[in-house]
Each structure stands twice: as C-alpha cells, then as structure tokens.
Amino acid sequence: MEEFDFVIPNTDLEFRPDDNGAFKAEIVISTRLYDSKRRLVGGTVRRRFAVEELEENTTAQDRFFIYIAGALLESGLYEIEAVAVDQNSKRYGYVRKSFEVRIIEPHHLSLSSIELASSVRHAEELSMFVKHGFEVLPNPAGVYRMGGVLSVYYEIYSLGVAGDGAPKFMIQYSISPREDPDKVIFRYKFLAPREGGRDQMQVYRLPLRPDIIDPGEYTLRVRVVDVVEGVELLSRRDFEVIE
C-alpha cells in the first residue's frame, strides 16, 4: 500500500465561530493518480471534511489538518495531484508530486522512509492511522514545539537471522543541524532485542527538552546495522523545532 499525506496548516484556513463557541473550517479535497503514461489509475472526488478547533489553535503554527490517501500500486513511476478548497474563504491549494514505487527485494536488507509523527502509541481501535498495531498520527510538515516529543515510525525488511532463527541488529540515531551535518548534537545507539522475525517495525521518541535541543532546523539520521549479515543502511529526515 502506497500512502500519501496532505497537510494544511490551520493558518491557511478560515475558521468561523458557531453557536456553541467552537471555531470551524470546512475543506473539500479531490485527488487524481496517474501512471507514467498519464493514465488515470486512482483518486478521490470532492471529499468533504470539517475541522473544529479552539480559538487559540486556529492560528497555531503547529496545528494542521491531515488527509491520508492510499493505493495499491505495482512498481513504476506515478504522479499524484491534489486540490483542496477552503469552503469559508473559497481559497484553494494545489499540489503535484511525482514518485516511484519500488519492489522490496525479499533477500536484501531494506529500510522504509522515516515517517514523522505528532504521536505514536499502541492502537486501541482500527483507523486510517493504524500500522502494525501502532496508531501513527502523521506530522508531514515536520514541525515540533519545544517541550513536545519527536516521534518517528519506520519499518525494516529482510534482516538476517542467526542459527536460532532470531535477528540481531543495531540501531543508531543522530541529530544534527540541517546546515551542519557533521555537528552531531545528540546520538543514541542500542542493540535491538532478539525477538520478532526478519521484518521489524520500529518507533522512536525523543523529548524536545531545552537541555537537548534549541529551536531550529535539524536532520534525524537512522542507521540500521544487520549484525548477522554484516550490512547496514542509512535513512534521514529533516524536521523543525519551534518555541
């Protein structure tokens, strides 16, 4: 399943008070998904969503409306287009993105992209945000507030297994200023427990305390080392911390 996250900051929406004292915005979203020959292979038409906020959150920099779409796709090149219309202001936004779907090699160590999340916790009920037992509320904008928690989710595929049938792998996290990747301000490394199989789901949470990090733009790097096979992979994701 290929997923697409669309995020609209509250600051781009027009919220209007209702009779109950809440502030509401209404959004209509349409998407179109094309293959490499510009053939329509999926999408949604005029899906309507209501957003309700407290007045102080209508202009908060770290509050967003998030829409997730998904499609089962074969390997190849694709393009997705999305149009969102604010029903109160009649303003609209348009985005177009090209991407490639690749088949994961079954016998080679693979690492998914790192998904930034506003929160990750064990799921109590099914929803569009549940992945392998975790409720992953995405944060596509990658903006976090001081005092909050940097949460990420990612998946590891095709780990080697030892003679007892269990994997053995190491994970290292590091954070650097985006403009100075060699200046590591935080590093954490651990040997993962020998449980589970060749495919693993990983969650990472870092409290954004003032003694660890200042407001600014950063890069998170995740290094996975398969101890059994002697191979490693590195993935990265940029994020921002605000006051």
Side-chain angles (χ1 to χ4, degrees), residues 10-194:
N10 278 6
T11 51
D12 287 352
L13 297 173
E14 182 175 314
F15 288 86
R16 294 180 180 176
D18 63 11
D19 296 336
N20 299 318
F23 283 74
K24 292 184 177 180
E26 191 172 5
I27 309 164
V28 172
I29 296 178
S30 298
T31 62
R32 287 178 175 268
L33 182 62
Y34 299 96
D35 65 11
S36 59
K37 297 182 179 179
R38 197 59 184 179
R39 294 177 299 199
L40 186 66
V41 294
T44 57
V45 180
R46 294 187 58 80
R47 294 199 63 182
R48 188 177 296 267
F49 302 91
V51 185
E52 183 174 316
E53 289 280 19
L54 299 174
E55 183 176 8
E56 58 267 27
N57 289 333
T58 60
T59 57
Q61 296 183 38
D62 59 343
R63 299 285 292 187
F64 309 91
F65 167 78
I66 300 170
Y67 171 64
I68 298 179
L72 290 171
L73 300 171
E74 298 179 349
S75 60
L77 298 174
Y78 295 88
E79 186 174 76
I80 189 167
E81 297 177 344
V83 176
V85 181
D86 181 342
Q87 296 299 289
N88 288 337
S89 67
K90 301 306 178 183
R91 295 194 302 264
Y92 74 92
Y94 169 81
V95 64
R96 181 173 65 183
K97 181 180 181 181
S98 299
F99 62 95
E100 182 179 2
V101 176
R102 297 180 180 178
I103 299 299
I104 295 174
E105 295 290 340
H107 303 296
H108 294 84
L109 180 65
S110 300
L111 183 62
S112 72
S113 59
I114 299 170
E115 182 171 354
L116 297 177
S118 57
S119 71
V120 180
R121 59 189 179 187
H122 288 285
E124 297 181 355
E125 57 185 23
L126 289 177
S127 74
M128 70 174 67
F129 301 110
V130 173
K131 298 181 179 182
H132 299 282
F134 289 101
E135 181 187 57
V136 184
L137 298 180
N139 182 356
V143 178
Y144 294 88
R145 190 173 293 277
M146 290 293 296
V149 177
L150 170 66
S151 299
V152 300
Y153 172 91
Y154 59 97
E155 298 174 0
I156 305 169
Y157 310 103
S158 301
L159 284 161
V161 293
D164 59 0
K168 185 178 181 181
F169 60 105
M170 183 188 72
I171 298 177
Q172 182 184 61
Y173 301 100
S174 64
I175 293 176
S176 305
R178 191 179 304 180
E179 72 280 0
D180 189 1
D182 295 326
K183 182 183 177 182
V184 178
I185 62 173
F186 176 83
R187 181 181 283 117
Y188 175 64
K189 179 172 63 175
F190 71 98
L191 189 64
R194 292 171 59 80

